[in-house]
Amino acid sequence: MTPSRRTALKVLAGGGCAAAAAAAPALAREPKVAPPGAMGMLYDTTRCIGCKACVFACQQANGLEPERDPSGLHLAPVDLGARTKNVIKLYKDGPRMSYVKAQCMHCVDPACASACMLHSLQKDPKTGVVHYDPSYCVGCRYCQMACPFGVTKFEFDKAAPKIVKCELCRHRVKGEAKKDARGFTRYASGEGPACCEVCPREAVVYGTREELIAEAARRIEENPGRYFENRAYGLTEAGGTQVLYLSHLPFGLIGLPDLGGRGVPHVAYSIQEGIYRGFVAPVALYGALAVAMWRNRRGAAPPAGGEGVPS
Ligand code: SF4
Ligand code: SF4
Ligand code: SF4
């Protein structure tokens, strides 16, 4: 972002937030909660060996052409992109290192869906999966600006470009839900997210959010001292996510941003409500929304610090 654009956003933000803070002493929108059948994934850095089987399985399952790294020598995606819905990155902090899987977090209160004027991005009321329907998309990329995890990507090189992001392999998951031998929810199609099915170490597993929270608690209890803060990332961050992380390193060191406990749409809605109640000019509304986005972008840490993993 250029300094002038940053300055403009700061000025707009200051005015918008001041107005909102003065006019909105109480929140008008209840925080969202995950639906009872919310599906998600649990990723555990301590089990991941960086084999990238999940990356290639994701590309195959989603019919995506493999991406080359910047050298052009390796078929190794270095970050999420228009042909990569799932990537493994390497984060280093002195002698400490960690592989980290990145894909859509399937937020409980998704900023991308909230920013999409045409409802191309929506949260499934039953599974909570945040899915995309390109038939309504006009390519405004507001969803890209709004996502606090830097997940949504755009097909700049296509004549009819679409947004690209993980949809939890919903095209593979069909039929009635039932429990498998280990107590995880599975669907009649027998297929789940490709990344989870190929992982040789159960570093990424699929289930309902409740099952995954219980699995995270089990791993923490069975391995004292192994996990940062003895908790999973995503329980509360940004209003909660359906993809949860267990990590041996501090979350901030593996690109998981500190976003507080409220969803971005929840914050933005509260600001809007305050402005309208105070009869402040619409320009202040845009200023307030701009700062929500600006703060959001500043907190979007995933691409920083991580490296691509060579093949
Ligand atoms: S991580 Fe980004 S793209 Fe995924 S649901 Fe949340 S806001 Fe939307
Ligand atoms: S759930 Fe499917 S689309 Fe999402 S990262 Fe895993 S394999 Fe890729
Ligand atoms: S398949 Fe599993 S172990 Fe291999 S890189 Fe992916 S998450 Fe890590």
Side-chain angles (χ1 to χ4, degrees):
M1 186 186 293
T2 62
S4 57
R5 187 167 167 227
R6 194 179 295 129
T7 309
L9 285 174
K10 275 185 184 168
V11 170
L12 281 168
C17 280
L27 299 180
R29 179 187 189 266
E30 289 298 314
K32 295 247 169 111
V33 292
M39 301 304 295
M41 298 190 282
L42 171 67
Y43 171 75
D44 184 338
T45 63
T46 69
R47 292 189 177 214
C48 181
I49 53 173
C51 66
K52 296 194 295 182
C54 56
V55 176
F56 297 110
C58 176
Q59 285 175 326
Q60 277 196 323
N62 289 280
L64 297 163
E65 245 179 85
E67 259 183 287
R68 289 186 183 275
D69 74 359
S71 74
L73 295 174
H74 305 289
L75 291 174
V78 293
D79 209 338
L80 296 175
R83 285 184 274 156
T84 304
K85 296 183 177 188
N86 171 48
V87 73
I88 294 289
K89 296 177 78 175
L90 181 62
Y91 284 78
K92 291 180 185 158
D93 177 52
R96 301 185 296 176
M97 53 81 70
S98 177
Y99 292 113
V100 182
K101 183 179 185 295
Q103 72 298 295
C104 176
M105 301 290 281
H106 296 282
C107 302
V108 169
D109 193 357
C112 59
S114 184
C116 182
M117 299 175 286
L118 297 164
H119 303 295
S120 284
L121 283 154
Q122 290 196 26
K123 190 166 179 67
D124 185 281
K126 189 173 154 210
T127 63
V129 171
V130 179
H131 56 89
Y132 172 66
D133 181 348
S135 56
Y136 301 115
C137 181
V138 291
C140 66
R141 296 189 292 122
Y142 284 175
C143 56
Q144 219 179 346
M145 288 182 266
C147 173
F149 296 100
V151 163
T152 44
K153 301 296 175 194
F154 190 64
E155 296 177 321
F156 282 105
D157 59 344
K158 296 228 170 123
K162 298 192 293 281
I163 289 293
V164 176
K165 72 168 212 58
C166 157
E167 297 179 72
L168 213 64
C169 282
R170 69 191 180 103
H171 61 292
R172 293 162 56 93
V173 176
K174 295 191 170 59
E176 288 302 307
K178 56 183 182 199
K179 298 268 186 186
D180 70 7
R182 293 185 52 202
F184 284 104
T185 297
R186 294 287 174 263
Y187 284 82
S189 63
E191 293 187 316
C195 56
C196 300
E197 289 192 351
V198 298
C199 181
R201 304 257 308 162
E202 291 197 332
V204 60
V205 292
Y206 174 65
T208 68
R209 191 167 186 265
E210 293 308 315
E211 290 161 357
L212 299 172
I213 290 170
E215 174 67 7
R218 187 186 67 76
R219 292 186 188 188
I220 290 167
E221 196 184 330
E222 288 180 1
N223 299 283
R226 177 181 287 185
Y227 297 108
F228 176 64
E229 288 186 348
N230 287 327
R231 71 179 181 95
Y233 181 98
L235 292 180
T236 57
E237 281 80 5
T241 57
Q242 290 176 209
V243 176
L244 307 171
Y245 283 71
L246 284 174
S247 171
H248 58 295
L249 292 184
F251 299 127
L253 290 182
I254 61 163
L256 294 171
D258 179 5
L259 296 166
R262 291 167 68 196
V264 171
H266 187 226
V267 176
Y269 190 89
S270 304
I271 292 171
Q272 288 181 58
E273 278 290 297
I275 290 167
Y276 281 126
R277 265 193 239 140
F279 296 105
V280 179
V283 69
L285 166 64
Y286 290 116
L289 291 175
V291 81
M293 231 172 246
W294 175 70
R295 282 190 180 155
N296 194 10
R297 295 299 296 165
R298 289 184 68 206
E307 301 170 11
V309 179
S311 291

